[in-house]
């Protein structure tokens, strides 16, 4: 048994991977104050990072972007960001695409409430003294043009729907500690 929570996709059906990159965050590297929450004792800027992706399956009909902290001391992790409805023609989100009341998202895309209880990006906020938390940015390619859900669903319901329609997934896992 490990002393770390599993990654959220460890127990889901295996799907192909593709390339995900960012100018703002990198695998295993500490996130900057730009991606840290402004609240919970943190004084970050709470800016969603740039993300761009390529090499995904040709049959992709839609994308979703999620950000999850499996190391949050909750017993169930912490959803920081859930964006659904990204058209298949879109292959990037600019830094700060969230935090704009949805206006920075591509047409048709929308935020689902995160665990901060807002429909937006919520940056890193690990408790003081915890070891570095892993922040799992995922871009999911979907086999449907729409999941048929609204922005009123929970992150868990979004994850449930993504589980059955994801045909490929790309991950980027930076860390942060306070």
């Amino acid at each position: 048994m490990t002393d770390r929570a599993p990654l959220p996709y460890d127990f889901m059906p295996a799907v192909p991977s593709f390339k995900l990159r960012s100018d703002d965050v990198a695998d295993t590297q500490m996130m900057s104050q730009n991606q840290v929450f402004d609240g919970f004792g943190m004084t970050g800027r709470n800016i969603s990072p740039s993300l761009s992706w390529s090499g995904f399956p040709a049959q992709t009909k839609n994308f979703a972007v999620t950000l999850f902290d499996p190391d949050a001391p909750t017993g169930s992790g912490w959803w920081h960001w859930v964006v659904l409805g990204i058209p298949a023609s879109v292959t990037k989100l600019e830094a700060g695409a969230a935090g704009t009341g949805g206006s920075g998202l591509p047409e048709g895309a929308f935020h689902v409430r995160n665990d901060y209880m807002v429909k937006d990006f919520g940056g890193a906020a690990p408790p003081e003294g915890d070891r570095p938390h892993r922040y799992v940015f995922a871009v999911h390619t979907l086999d449907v043009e729409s999941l048929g859900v609204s922005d009123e669903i929970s992150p868990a319901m979004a994850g449930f729907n993504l589980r059955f329609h994801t045909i490929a997934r790309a991950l980027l896992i930076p860390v942060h500690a306070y």
Side-chain angles (χ1 to χ4, degrees), residues 22-111:
S22 174
D23 294 330
D24 304 307
V25 296
D27 270 331
T28 72
Q29 300 301 303
M30 193 70 72
M31 288 193 288
S32 77
Q33 284 298 108
N34 285 342
Q35 283 74 52
V36 171
F37 192 63
D38 185 17
F40 284 30
M42 310 299 274
T43 56
R45 293 185 187 96
N46 207 48
I47 299 170
S48 59
S50 69
L51 297 173
S52 62
W53 51 91
S54 62
F56 48 87
Q59 64 269 34
T60 298
K61 295 182 179 177
N62 204 295
F63 294 104
V65 172
T66 59
L67 172 57
F68 182 75
D69 173 2
D71 301 315
T74 63
S76 60
W78 191 271
W79 288 100
H80 287 261
W81 197 22
V82 180
V83 181
L84 303 177
I86 301 171
S89 60
V90 174
T91 59
K92 67 180 178 178
L93 294 177
E94 299 293 339
T100 58
S103 67
L105 297 177
E107 187 175 337
F110 58 93
H111 287 109

Side-chain angles (χ1 to χ4, degrees), residues 134-155:
R134 297 164 294 164
Y135 292 88
V136 183
F137 287 88
V139 176
H140 312 259
T141 65
L142 308 179
D143 63 359
V144 292
E145 290 183 16
S146 170
L147 290 174
V149 299
S150 75
D151 65 349
E152 295 300 318
I153 64 171
S154 69

